[in-house]
Amino acid sequence: MRSILFVCLGNICRSPTAEGLMLNHLAAAGLSHLAQVDSAGTGGWHTGDPPDPRAIAAARRRGVDLSPLRARQVRKTDFSEFDLIVGMDRQNVADLRRMAPASSTARVGLCLEEALGIANEVPDPYYEDDRAFDAVFDLCDRAVRAFIEKIHAKS
Ligand code: 4NP
C-alpha cells in the first residue's frame, strides 16, 4: 500500500483530519516519499471548502495545520489511482462500494479496520461539540500511525 485516500461524507471534518495527520507524520519522519495521501467526500456539497473550523482548531491544538486542505468529491478515477480507499464509517464504505467502477483496482475498507483491525467507525462529529472533534483527531492519529508503520515495513 503506497497510496491512500481517506473518505468521509463531507470531506471537511474526519477525512481531512486523517489526511493532515498523515502528511504531518510522514514529513516529521522524513518518509513523505513513501506514500501518496489525499482525502475526499462521498458528497460534493463542500467542494472547494477548507476543513470545518472546529476540525482545524482541534488539529491546531495538537500541532497539525489543516488549513491548506480543500474538499473534493470522490471520483471514479480514484478507484484506479489509489491502492487503498478507506471510509470513516460504514455508510461511507457502502457508498464507496456503490460508486466504484467495474474497473476498480483499489482495496476499499473501513479506516480503523484496515489500520488496526478494529471494526469501529470514526463517528461523524458534525452535529457534536469540540470533544467529538478531539475524539476524531485521536482515532485518526492512531489509524495514521498504523498505516505509516505498515508502509514503512514494506519499503
Ligand atoms: P465529515 O463531516 O463527513 O467528517 O466531513 C460532515 C461534514 C458535513 C456534513 C456532514 C458531515 N454535512 O451534512 O454537510
Side-chain angles (χ1 to χ4, degrees), residues 8-15 45-46 124-127:
C8 59
L9 178 60
N11 193 211
I12 57 169
C13 299
R14 292 165 291 174
S15 60
W45 315 283
H46 294 284
D124 185 351
Y126 194 68
Y127 297 103

Side-chain angles (χ1 to χ4, degrees), residues 9 50 54 129 134:
L9 178 60
R54 298 166 295 171
D129 62 14
D134 287 330

Side-chain angles (χ1 to χ4, degrees), residues 5-12 15 38-49 70-79 81-82 85 95-96 98-99:
L5 180 68
F6 294 101
V7 172
C8 59
L9 178 60
N11 193 211
I12 57 169
S15 60
D38 200 359
S39 68
T42 56
W45 315 283
H46 294 284
T47 295
D49 291 351
R70 293 295 178 268
R72 73 167 176 90
Q73 189 168 18
V74 173
R75 44 187 177 245
K76 294 230 182 294
T77 50
D78 288 328
F79 292 90
E81 287 175 6
F82 289 89
I85 303 179
D95 290 339
L96 282 165
R98 203 167 46 239
M99 295 164 94

Side-chain angles (χ1 to χ4, degrees), residues 78-85 97 100 103-109:
D78 288 328
F79 292 90
S80 51
E81 287 175 6
F82 289 89
D83 302 320
L84 179 62
I85 303 179
R97 293 201 197 288
S103 58
S104 172
T105 51
R107 179 181 171 88
V108 174

Side-chain angles (χ1 to χ4, degrees), residues 113-133:
E113 194 159 30
E114 294 296 319
L116 299 159
I118 301 170
N120 286 351
E121 302 181 306
V122 179
D124 185 351
Y126 194 68
Y127 297 103
E128 309 294 333
D129 62 14
D130 284 347
R131 279 175 305 179
F133 282 83

